Each structure stands twice: as structure tokens, then as C-alpha cells.
Amino acid sequence: MADGYVKQTNKNRGNEDEPNLPINDKRDEIDQTILENQVCLIRDETGSWKRTLLPKFLLESSHLKNGRIVCTQPTKEAVASLAAQVARELKQTVGDVVGYQCGVQRKISEKTKLVYMTDLALLNYFLQDELLNEYVCIIIDEAQERSIYIDILLGMIKNLLPKRKDQRICLVIVTSTFTDSKVFVDYFDGCPEITVGDALNQVDIQWIPNLEEENYKNVEMKAIDKIVEIHSMQPVDDGDIILFLPGQSEIERCIQTLQEKLKDKSDHWILPLHNKLQSIKLNEIFEKTPPGKRKIVISTNMAEAYVTIPGVRYILDTGFVKEMQYDPVEKEHSLKLIQITQSSANQRKEIARRSSQGKCFRFYSEKDYYDMNMTPIPDILRINIGHPVLKLLQLGVNPCSFNFVQSPLTKTETTLQELSMLEAVKDGKLTELGNWIAKLP
């Protein structure tokens, strides 16, 4: 690694934007653990900057100099924004030391040492190189999300590790401390785990319980009224606002209502955040709020991936999300409005931790919070595994013998029979149709 780069990263250790976080105290322990073990689990308090600091620590590790480090994220938006943030902190441009790849977007050069990818992008990389020879370290971030791609990726990496004994590769799994880590530890044969504590600013939580007769739209209107109240009662330079809603249609409806309620004011900047946004609109979320205005972001659970959105002081959490679920009896998927998990609630709150007086308004009771599931139900336990099976066949893996992190909702053999009836699979191999479906995200 270039001397100039090492000097720059060492210089950044005292950066005023990086307070004395607990993850700094764990640096030597993490470095030694991955030196002695191929797999390491890090349980991290949301908000300790693991998404940026951990990859930067590993960049400076002396035993990871001979290859690249890849850090996966659940969404392409997180991939691009985190690569830009780390590059900025290192006073580099994206595509030099730090790059990213997701879908057709690729900013990587010969100098690139740290690559941010989506889980799917890294999975697809196995099609090019089944041994991942370019990489010496894989960081699977937000593993507690347990998307189907994360689970398949973990299985592929588990198969890979024994094949890379000579050209060593290490796996670092990062989850929140709200996650039961036993499933990961057991899957990787008792791998060591490190817990990173909590040290950022505390957030004041205010509970706004719902009445039994209230439906979701009542909750949404109460949240809109709270935004108007905050914006009217507090100075605009007091801090920005994020409101969490379940989906795009709710966001569009909310923005229309807010614009009507604030039509006599010009001191606000209302921005949507959902997965249909173009990147140019997404970048506005991270721009500095213009003087004399307050940024009001209306978001799906997408904002949970951005704990470093600058300037946010107020979080409004309606407590709902839309989730795809599979009915094995009806054999169909449907998008359902469900209550969020404790893990999601905490991630939402943490966005305000950058502010010394952050506030989180939860539109549910404290009892409701403790009644929530700790973490999301893994995809493998709630969706049809037809597409994952096709993906495994595309990767040259027998799905019937694949070592899943947990057993799927439906039997693999049953799924193969159904795919054969659809002419996506024939004699245990992909047909042209099956190969086309497997390429779909």
C-alpha cells in the first residue's frame, strides 16, 4: 500500500468527525482475531460507525496488504454513499483506494484496495471467480438482515474457506448487538465473537401510544402534525427531521399533505427517500441543508442504512414497514403492512445520535416496542426459494446439498419439482428460461 495513503489514514485517526468510539478500543483485538481465525463475528451497537471505521482499520492491517477487502451492504444506495464517504474521509476520490460495484455501476481501478458491493454483486462475482482470488477479506455487514442473498453468500463463503488455506482469506460478519449471534457462531463452527459497546450521544425517546381504534392512516396524520409542530416551534437551524413511513405511496401522500400544511412557509426542504429514486435525487439527502431552511426527509426503512445522514436531530417513527411474504398454501407472494422489529426501531433512533440532543418520537407504546420481534424473520423462513434455487444452479451448486444457514420454508426437492413444471429446470440443470430468471435481481 502506498506510503502516502498510510500517512493519510494515520493522520485521519484524530479527525474531529470521528469521536472516541468504542470500536477504536477494539481495533487491536479485531486485528489479532482475524489474524488467528478465518471467521470472526463482530456484534456492534448501531451507531459506532462500523460501516466506515472497520473497513478503514482493516485497510491498515499489515496482514491484509496482498489483496482487496470487500464490504457488502444490503442496498446499492448504501454501497455508493459509503464508498463516497470513506473516500472523502481519506481525502481520495471514489475509484482510487476506495471503490464500489453494484449492478452495472462500477468504480474500481488497479489502485483500489477497498470495494463496497451489494450482497448480490458479490454473489454474482462467484460466476467470474469461484475462489475470489482478488480478495483477502470479506466483510458481511448488516448480517442480521438475513436477506436471501446474505444467507446464500454465507453458504458460498463457508464452502470457499477450506479452499483458500494456502492463499488465506478471512470473513468478518458484522451484526447489531440486538441480534442472537448463536445462529452465526454455530454455522461457522464456534467462530470467535467480539462485542463493541455504546458511546455516542444518547437520544431522548418520546412514546406516543396509539388508541386501539386508530388505524395506520391516523398514525400517519399524527406524525405529519408532529412535523408541523416541530417546524413551527423550533428554529430551522435546530436540526433536520426524518419521518419513517412504510412505502412509496405513503411517502407521496405525506409530502403532498405536508406541502399543503406548510404552503405559507419557504423555510423547509422536503425530500423523499425510497428505492425508486434516481441517484441524483438520493445524493440530495446527504447534501448540507441550505441556510435558513430545515431538511425534512420522508423515508421508507431505507434510511435505516444511513446512520450518518448529517444534521438530523428529530426522528419520527410510525413503527410500520411493508414486507414481502409467501403463503405456501396459496403459493403466492404478497406485500403486507407489518410492525417493525426492535432492531429496526433502534437503527431508526440511532440516526439522531450524531446530534447532542437528538429526539426520537415513536408512535407506539413502550410495551409495543418490547412486544416486537428482536430482528426480522430471515427471508429463507418466509419466502418461496424458487429464485434462490435457480441462483445456486447458476453458480454451479447443487441446491439439494447446499448448507443453508437455516432450513428453508419449503423443501428444496419440492421447489425443484415446481421449477421443472415451469420449464425453468430440466434434469437438474437450468434451461434457457431458468438462466434468464436467475439473472433477475
Side-chain angles (χ1 to χ4, degrees):
M1 199 172 293
D3 290 343
Y5 166 69
V6 174
K7 289 177 183 176
Q8 185 65 60
T9 53
N10 287 335
K11 178 181 176 182
N12 280 347
R13 289 188 188 185
N15 191 318
E16 63 180 5
D17 291 334
E18 294 180 2
N20 185 23
L21 298 165
I23 197 168
N24 286 304
D25 299 331
K26 296 286 185 176
R27 178 176 185 151
D28 291 339
E29 182 182 351
I30 292 170
D31 196 52
Q32 189 63 29
T33 301
I34 64 172
L35 174 62
E36 297 173 353
N37 301 272
Q38 267 197 300
V39 183
C40 170
L41 176 72
I42 298 179
R43 301 181 68 230
D44 175 73
E45 282 280 359
T46 308
S48 75
W49 296 21
K50 58 180 167 41
R51 292 184 174 113
T52 56
L53 277 182
L54 178 61
K56 283 162 65 178
F57 289 171
L58 298 181
L59 270 177
E60 297 177 33
S61 177
S62 60
H63 48 275
L64 297 176
K65 291 191 300 183
N66 298 322
R68 287 176 170 165
I69 298 167
V70 59
C71 180
T72 68
Q73 296 295 325
T75 67
K76 62 182 180 180
E77 294 80 14
V79 163
S81 64
L82 287 168
Q85 181 180 339
V86 174
R88 184 169 58 249
E89 290 172 0
L90 298 178
K91 295 183 169 55
Q92 302 271 334
T93 57
V94 177
D96 289 339
V97 171
V98 183
Y100 71 89
Q101 181 174 341
C102 53
V104 296
Q105 300 179 39
R106 188 178 190 271
K107 285 195 175 182
I108 299 173
S109 68
E110 291 183 358
K111 297 184 291 183
T112 303
K113 288 291 186 179
L114 170 62
V115 182
Y116 281 92
M117 284 190 193
T118 57
D119 306 303
L120 178 58
L122 183 56
L123 197 56
N124 285 332
Y125 192 83
F126 275 92
L127 293 169
Q128 302 175 41
D129 179 7
E130 62 180 15
L131 295 179
L132 304 186
N133 287 302
E134 285 189 18
Y135 294 96
V136 292
C137 182
I138 303 169
I139 305 170
I140 305 295
D141 198 2
E142 303 299 330
Q144 77 276 359
E145 294 295 323
R146 293 290 306 282
S147 73
I148 194 63
Y149 295 131
I150 288 177
D151 272 19
I152 295 178
L153 196 51
L154 289 173
M156 294 295 292
I157 295 169
K158 184 173 183 176
N159 291 337
L160 165 68
L161 293 177
K163 303 173 185 177
R164 287 282 302 267
K165 289 285 188 181
D166 294 332
Q167 185 196 355
R168 191 175 184 278
I169 186 170
C170 64
L171 168 65
V172 180
I173 305 168
V174 184
T175 75
S176 79
T177 53
F178 303 102
T179 304
D180 180 6
S181 60
K182 188 176 185 297
V183 65
F184 298 111
V185 173
D186 289 349
Y187 186 66
F188 285 99
D189 305 316
C191 68
E193 56 181 306
I194 298 170
T195 300
V196 180
D198 181 9
L200 283 181
N201 300 312
Q202 295 302 307
V203 176
D204 176 35
I205 299 174
Q206 293 192 26
W207 307 93
I208 305 175
N210 300 319
L211 301 176
E212 286 188 11
E213 65 272 15
E214 287 186 316
N215 59 27
Y216 165 74
K217 283 191 177 180
N218 294 130
V219 176
E220 185 179 306
M221 284 307 303
K222 285 165 70 173
I224 291 172
D225 290 340
K226 178 59 72 172
I227 289 178
V228 174
E229 176 189 323
I230 292 170
H231 190 62
S232 301
M233 301 294 290
Q234 303 298 332
V236 292
D237 59 359
D238 183 51
D240 297 334
I241 299 171
I242 292 183
L243 167 61
F244 282 94
L245 296 179
Q248 183 180 348
S249 59
E250 289 83 3
I251 288 173
E252 291 171 351
R253 180 174 65 212
C254 173
I255 288 177
Q256 186 176 4
T257 304
L258 262 179
Q259 287 172 336
E260 179 64 27
K261 287 179 174 284
L262 298 175
K263 63 182 179 181
D264 296 328
K265 296 177 179 288
S266 60
D267 55 356
H268 55 276
W269 186 22
I270 303 176
L271 297 172
L273 179 56
H274 52 75
N275 60 9
K276 299 292 177 62
L277 280 185
Q278 295 181 342
S279 57
I280 190 169
K281 285 290 185 183
L282 177 67
N283 290 338
E284 291 180 345
I285 302 295
F286 302 95
E287 290 179 10
K288 190 173 182 181
T289 307
K293 287 185 180 289
R294 188 197 309 275
K295 188 189 296 179
I296 302 173
V297 179
I298 314 298
S299 177
T300 61
N301 61 340
M302 234 178 96
E304 292 174 19
Y306 303 120
V307 293
T308 54
I309 296 177
V312 174
R313 182 178 178 188
Y314 300 99
I315 304 296
L316 283 74
D317 178 9
T318 56
F320 289 96
V321 68
K322 285 182 178 176
E323 182 177 87
M324 190 67 70
Q325 296 185 352
Y326 178 68
D327 186 335
V329 176
E330 298 294 331
K331 297 186 184 300
E332 63 180 18
H333 285 95
S334 59
L335 199 60
K336 294 189 176 181
L337 183 71
I338 63 168
Q339 194 174 50
I340 63 171
T341 63
Q342 287 186 29
S343 177
S344 288
N346 288 316
Q347 283 186 285
R348 295 178 177 194
K349 178 194 70 173
E350 299 302 319
I351 298 173
R353 293 263 291 247
R354 294 286 294 276
S355 169
S356 60
Q357 294 180 314
K359 293 182 181 294
C360 178
F361 298 92
R362 288 176 168 169
F363 291 84
Y364 43 89
S365 69
E366 190 170 6
K367 180 182 181 301
D368 291 334
Y369 169 79
Y370 286 108
D371 286 343
M372 292 174 179
N373 291 331
M374 290 284 286
T375 55
I377 299 172
D379 281 0
I380 198 74
L381 302 181
R382 65 176 181 81
I383 68 169
N384 179 275
I385 61 167
H387 190 267
V389 165
L390 292 175
K391 194 70 185 175
L392 287 170
L393 289 171
Q394 185 191 35
L395 292 165
V397 176
N398 181 353
C400 292
S401 60
F402 185 73
N403 186 4
F404 287 99
V405 178
Q406 288 177 278
S407 298
L409 176 65
T410 53
K411 289 184 177 181
T412 307
E413 292 81 1
T414 303
T415 302
L416 277 171
Q417 291 173 4
E418 294 172 350
L419 291 171
S420 295
M421 293 172 62
L422 295 171
E423 299 184 348
V425 174
K426 184 177 181 180
D427 299 327
K429 295 182 179 180
L430 290 180
T431 62
E432 185 177 344
L433 172 63
N435 191 52
W436 179 80
I437 298 173
K439 291 178 181 178
L440 297 174

